[in-house]
PDB file of all heavy atoms in Angstrom:
ATOM      1  N   SER A 124      96.684 141.968 -40.070  1.00  0.00           N
ATOM      2  CA  SER A 124      95.870 140.967 -40.761  1.00  0.00           C
ATOM      3  C   SER A 124      96.641 139.655 -40.925  1.00  0.00           C
ATOM      4  O   SER A 124      97.860 139.590 -40.772  1.00  0.00           O
ATOM      5  CB  SER A 124      95.439 141.487 -42.131  1.00  0.00           C
ATOM      6  OG  SER A 124      96.554 141.591 -43.001  1.00  0.00           O
ATOM      7  N   ASP A 125      95.904 138.620 -41.270  1.00  0.00           N
ATOM      8  CA  ASP A 125      96.473 137.286 -41.447  1.00  0.00           C
ATOM      9  C   ASP A 125      97.423 137.241 -42.648  1.00  0.00           C
ATOM     10  O   ASP A 125      97.301 138.049 -43.578  1.00  0.00           O
ATOM     11  CB  ASP A 125      95.348 136.282 -41.634  1.00  0.00           C
ATOM     12  CG  ASP A 125      95.782 134.858 -41.351  1.00  0.00           C
ATOM     13  OD1 ASP A 125      96.920 134.654 -40.899  1.00  0.00           O
ATOM     14  OD2 ASP A 125      94.969 133.943 -41.588  1.00  0.00           O
ATOM     15  N   PHE A 126      98.347 136.294 -42.639  1.00  0.00           N
ATOM     16  CA  PHE A 126      99.256 136.088 -43.762  1.00  0.00           C
ATOM     17  C   PHE A 126      99.774 134.662 -43.696  1.00  0.00           C
ATOM     18  O   PHE A 126      99.537 133.941 -42.723  1.00  0.00           O
ATOM     19  CB  PHE A 126     100.417 137.088 -43.728  1.00  0.00           C
ATOM     20  CG  PHE A 126     101.442 136.799 -42.666  1.00  0.00           C
ATOM     21  CD1 PHE A 126     102.631 136.158 -42.962  1.00  0.00           C
ATOM     22  CD2 PHE A 126     101.207 137.166 -41.338  1.00  0.00           C
ATOM     23  CE1 PHE A 126     103.572 135.884 -41.980  1.00  0.00           C
ATOM     24  CE2 PHE A 126     102.140 136.897 -40.352  1.00  0.00           C
ATOM     25  CZ  PHE A 126     103.328 136.253 -40.674  1.00  0.00           C
ATOM     26  N   ASN A 127     100.514 134.240 -44.725  1.00  0.00           N
ATOM     27  CA  ASN A 127     101.099 132.902 -44.760  1.00  0.00           C
ATOM     28  C   ASN A 127     102.493 132.941 -45.357  1.00  0.00           C
ATOM     29  O   ASN A 127     102.805 133.808 -46.191  1.00  0.00           O
ATOM     30  CB  ASN A 127     100.231 131.937 -45.579  1.00  0.00           C
ATOM     31  CG  ASN A 127      98.957 131.546 -44.856  1.00  0.00           C
ATOM     32  OD1 ASN A 127      99.002 130.926 -43.803  1.00  0.00           O
ATOM     33  ND2 ASN A 127      97.820 131.928 -45.415  1.00  0.00           N
ATOM     34  N   ILE A 128     103.332 131.995 -44.923  1.00  0.00           N
ATOM     35  CA  ILE A 128     104.636 131.795 -45.568  1.00  0.00           C
ATOM     36  C   ILE A 128     104.380 131.016 -46.856  1.00  0.00           C
ATOM     37  O   ILE A 128     103.809 129.926 -46.825  1.00  0.00           O
ATOM     38  CB  ILE A 128     105.588 131.014 -44.638  1.00  0.00           C
ATOM     39  CG1 ILE A 128     105.812 131.800 -43.334  1.00  0.00           C
ATOM     40  CG2 ILE A 128     106.916 130.742 -45.339  1.00  0.00           C
ATOM     41  CD1 ILE A 128     106.576 131.033 -42.275  1.00  0.00           C
ATOM     42  N   ILE A 129     104.789 131.558 -47.995  1.00  0.00           N
ATOM     43  CA  ILE A 129     104.442 130.951 -49.285  1.00  0.00           C
ATOM     44  C   ILE A 129     105.637 130.357 -50.028  1.00  0.00           C
ATOM     45  O   ILE A 129     105.448 129.606 -50.985  1.00  0.00           O
ATOM     46  CB  ILE A 129     103.719 131.970 -50.188  1.00  0.00           C
ATOM     47  CG1 ILE A 129     104.584 133.207 -50.410  1.00  0.00           C
ATOM     48  CG2 ILE A 129     102.378 132.355 -49.586  1.00  0.00           C
ATOM     49  CD1 ILE A 129     103.949 134.224 -51.361  1.00  0.00           C
ATOM     50  N   HIS A 130     106.855 130.673 -49.625  1.00  0.00           N
ATOM     51  CA  HIS A 130     108.031 130.103 -50.290  1.00  0.00           C
ATOM     52  C   HIS A 130     109.199 130.057 -49.303  1.00  0.00           C
ATOM     53  O   HIS A 130     109.374 131.006 -48.530  1.00  0.00           O
ATOM     54  CB  HIS A 130     108.420 130.947 -51.514  1.00  0.00           C
ATOM     55  CG  HIS A 130     109.534 130.353 -52.319  1.00  0.00           C
ATOM     56  ND1 HIS A 130     109.338 129.336 -53.217  1.00  0.00           N
ATOM     57  CD2 HIS A 130     110.860 130.626 -52.343  1.00  0.00           C
ATOM     58  CE1 HIS A 130     110.483 129.018 -53.788  1.00  0.00           C
ATOM     59  NE2 HIS A 130     111.424 129.789 -53.260  1.00  0.00           N
ATOM     60  N   ILE A 145     109.680 133.849 -48.358  1.00  0.00           N
ATOM     61  CA  ILE A 145     108.684 134.812 -48.833  1.00  0.00           C
ATOM     62  C   ILE A 145     107.348 134.554 -48.133  1.00  0.00           C
ATOM     63  O   ILE A 145     106.959 133.397 -47.946  1.00  0.00           O
ATOM     64  CB  ILE A 145     108.493 134.720 -50.362  1.00  0.00           C
ATOM     65  CG1 ILE A 145     109.842 134.895 -51.080  1.00  0.00           C
ATOM     66  CG2 ILE A 145     107.491 135.767 -50.855  1.00  0.00           C
ATOM     67  CD1 ILE A 145     109.763 134.682 -52.579  1.00  0.00           C
ATOM     68  N   TRP A 146     106.660 135.629 -47.788  1.00  0.00           N
ATOM     69  CA  TRP A 146     105.345 135.516 -47.170  1.00  0.00           C
ATOM     70  C   TRP A 146     104.419 136.597 -47.738  1.00  0.00           C
ATOM     71  O   TRP A 146     104.872 137.567 -48.348  1.00  0.00           O
ATOM     72  CB  TRP A 146     105.438 135.645 -45.647  1.00  0.00           C
ATOM     73  CG  TRP A 146     106.140 136.885 -45.180  1.00  0.00           C
ATOM     74  CD1 TRP A 146     105.570 138.090 -44.882  1.00  0.00           C
ATOM     75  CD2 TRP A 146     107.562 137.049 -44.967  1.00  0.00           C
ATOM     76  NE1 TRP A 146     106.539 138.993 -44.493  1.00  0.00           N
ATOM     77  CE2 TRP A 146     107.767 138.384 -44.539  1.00  0.00           C
ATOM     78  CE3 TRP A 146     108.660 136.210 -45.096  1.00  0.00           C
ATOM     79  CZ2 TRP A 146     109.034 138.886 -44.243  1.00  0.00           C
ATOM     80  CZ3 TRP A 146     109.923 136.699 -44.811  1.00  0.00           C
ATOM     81  CH2 TRP A 146     110.103 138.031 -44.384  1.00  0.00           C
ATOM     82  N   ASN A 147     103.112 136.402 -47.544  1.00  0.00           N
ATOM     83  CA  ASN A 147     102.147 137.414 -47.966  1.00  0.00           C
ATOM     84  C   ASN A 147     102.279 138.673 -47.125  1.00  0.00           C
ATOM     85  O   ASN A 147     102.737 138.633 -45.987  1.00  0.00           O
ATOM     86  CB  ASN A 147     100.711 136.898 -47.820  1.00  0.00           C
ATOM     87  CG  ASN A 147     100.460 135.629 -48.587  1.00  0.00           C
ATOM     88  OD1 ASN A 147     100.228 134.590 -47.993  1.00  0.00           O
ATOM     89  ND2 ASN A 147     100.480 135.708 -49.897  1.00  0.00           N
ATOM     90  N   LYS A 148     101.820 139.777 -47.671  1.00  0.00           N
ATOM     91  CA  LYS A 148     101.777 141.022 -46.911  1.00  0.00           C
ATOM     92  C   LYS A 148     100.706 140.948 -45.838  1.00  0.00           C
ATOM     93  O   LYS A 148      99.600 140.460 -46.072  1.00  0.00           O
ATOM     94  CB  LYS A 148     101.488 142.203 -47.840  1.00  0.00           C
ATOM     95  CG  LYS A 148     101.378 143.546 -47.124  1.00  0.00           C
ATOM     96  CD  LYS A 148     101.129 144.666 -48.107  1.00  0.00           C
ATOM     97  CE  LYS A 148     100.893 145.991 -47.402  1.00  0.00           C
ATOM     98  NZ  LYS A 148     102.040 146.412 -46.561  1.00  0.00           N
ATOM     99  N   SER A 149     101.040 141.420 -44.657  1.00  0.00           N
ATOM    100  CA  SER A 149     100.090 141.518 -43.558  1.00  0.00           C
ATOM    101  C   SER A 149      99.702 142.985 -43.394  1.00  0.00           C
ATOM    102  O   SER A 149     100.540 143.832 -43.083  1.00  0.00           O
ATOM    103  CB  SER A 149     100.713 140.995 -42.259  1.00  0.00           C
ATOM    104  OG  SER A 149      99.878 141.258 -41.151  1.00  0.00           O
ATOM    105  N   GLU A 150      98.432 143.293 -43.651  1.00  0.00           N
ATOM    106  CA  GLU A 150      97.960 144.670 -43.485  1.00  0.00           C
ATOM    107  C   GLU A 150      98.079 145.080 -42.019  1.00  0.00           C
ATOM    108  O   GLU A 150      97.740 144.319 -41.123  1.00  0.00           O
ATOM    109  CB  GLU A 150      96.504 144.795 -43.948  1.00  0.00           C
ATOM    110  CG  GLU A 150      96.288 144.514 -45.421  1.00  0.00           C
ATOM    111  CD  GLU A 150      96.976 145.522 -46.321  1.00  0.00           C
ATOM    112  OE1 GLU A 150      97.203 146.672 -45.858  1.00  0.00           O
ATOM    113  OE2 GLU A 150      97.288 145.170 -47.469  1.00  0.00           O
ATOM    114  N   TYR A 155     108.609 143.031 -39.928  1.00  0.00           N
ATOM    115  CA  TYR A 155     108.546 141.585 -39.696  1.00  0.00           C
ATOM    116  C   TYR A 155     109.799 141.128 -38.950  1.00  0.00           C
ATOM    117  O   TYR A 155     110.911 141.602 -39.216  1.00  0.00           O
ATOM    118  CB  TYR A 155     108.437 140.831 -41.023  1.00  0.00           C
ATOM    119  CG  TYR A 155     107.227 141.220 -41.838  1.00  0.00           C
ATOM    120  CD1 TYR A 155     107.308 142.267 -42.757  1.00  0.00           C
ATOM    121  CD2 TYR A 155     106.006 140.569 -41.684  1.00  0.00           C
ATOM    122  CE1 TYR A 155     106.201 142.650 -43.506  1.00  0.00           C
ATOM    123  CE2 TYR A 155     104.893 140.945 -42.432  1.00  0.00           C
ATOM    124  CZ  TYR A 155     105.000 141.982 -43.337  1.00  0.00           C
ATOM    125  OH  TYR A 155     103.909 142.358 -44.079  1.00  0.00           O
ATOM    126  N   ASP A 173     110.243 144.198 -45.486  1.00  0.00           N
ATOM    127  CA  ASP A 173     109.470 143.751 -46.637  1.00  0.00           C
ATOM    128  C   ASP A 173     108.964 142.326 -46.426  1.00  0.00           C
ATOM    129  O   ASP A 173     109.156 141.748 -45.358  1.00  0.00           O
ATOM    130  CB  ASP A 173     110.318 143.832 -47.904  1.00  0.00           C
ATOM    131  CG  ASP A 173     109.505 144.234 -49.122  1.00  0.00           C
ATOM    132  OD1 ASP A 173     108.334 143.823 -49.205  1.00  0.00           O
ATOM    133  OD2 ASP A 173     110.035 144.953 -49.988  1.00  0.00           O
ATOM    134  N   THR A 174     108.356 141.734 -47.463  1.00  0.00           N
ATOM    135  CA  THR A 174     107.742 140.413 -47.332  1.00  0.00           C
ATOM    136  C   THR A 174     108.651 139.305 -47.858  1.00  0.00           C
ATOM    137  O   THR A 174     108.161 138.277 -48.339  1.00  0.00           O
ATOM    138  CB  THR A 174     106.401 140.368 -48.075  1.00  0.00           C
ATOM    139  OG1 THR A 174     106.616 140.714 -49.445  1.00  0.00           O
ATOM    140  CG2 THR A 174     105.410 141.338 -47.450  1.00  0.00           C
ATOM    141  N   PHE A 175     109.948 139.497 -47.758  1.00  0.00           N
ATOM    142  CA  PHE A 175     110.896 138.455 -48.147  1.00  0.00           C
ATOM    143  C   PHE A 175     112.199 138.665 -47.374  1.00  0.00           C
ATOM    144  O   PHE A 175     112.469 139.763 -46.859  1.00  0.00           O
ATOM    145  CB  PHE A 175     111.159 138.467 -49.657  1.00  0.00           C
ATOM    146  CG  PHE A 175     111.738 139.761 -50.160  1.00  0.00           C
ATOM    147  CD1 PHE A 175     113.104 139.999 -50.157  1.00  0.00           C
ATOM    148  CD2 PHE A 175     110.891 140.762 -50.631  1.00  0.00           C
ATOM    149  CE1 PHE A 175     113.625 141.201 -50.617  1.00  0.00           C
ATOM    150  CE2 PHE A 175     111.407 141.971 -51.089  1.00  0.00           C
ATOM    151  CZ  PHE A 175     112.776 142.180 -51.081  1.00  0.00           C
ATOM    152  N   VAL A 195     107.740 133.624 -38.503  1.00  0.00           N
ATOM    153  CA  VAL A 195     107.672 134.987 -39.028  1.00  0.00           C
ATOM    154  C   VAL A 195     106.590 135.731 -38.259  1.00  0.00           C
ATOM    155  O   VAL A 195     105.444 135.278 -38.182  1.00  0.00           O
ATOM    156  CB  VAL A 195     107.365 135.008 -40.541  1.00  0.00           C
ATOM    157  CG1 VAL A 195     107.278 136.456 -41.036  1.00  0.00           C
ATOM    158  CG2 VAL A 195     108.433 134.246 -41.318  1.00  0.00           C
ATOM    159  N   ALA A 197     104.514 139.292 -37.926  1.00  0.00           N
ATOM    160  CA  ALA A 197     104.102 140.583 -38.470  1.00  0.00           C
ATOM    161  C   ALA A 197     103.705 141.466 -37.292  1.00  0.00           C
ATOM    162  O   ALA A 197     102.677 141.223 -36.660  1.00  0.00           O
ATOM    163  CB  ALA A 197     102.938 140.404 -39.443  1.00  0.00           C
TER     164      ALA A 197
END
Side-chain angles (χ1 to χ4, degrees):
S124 69
D125 200 6
F126 74 100
N127 287 297
I128 299 172
I129 58 177
H130 186 80
I145 305 174
W146 54 92
N147 303 113
K148 178 179 175 60
S149 172
E150 297 295 335
Y155 301 90
D173 216 325
T174 57
F175 60 87
V195 179

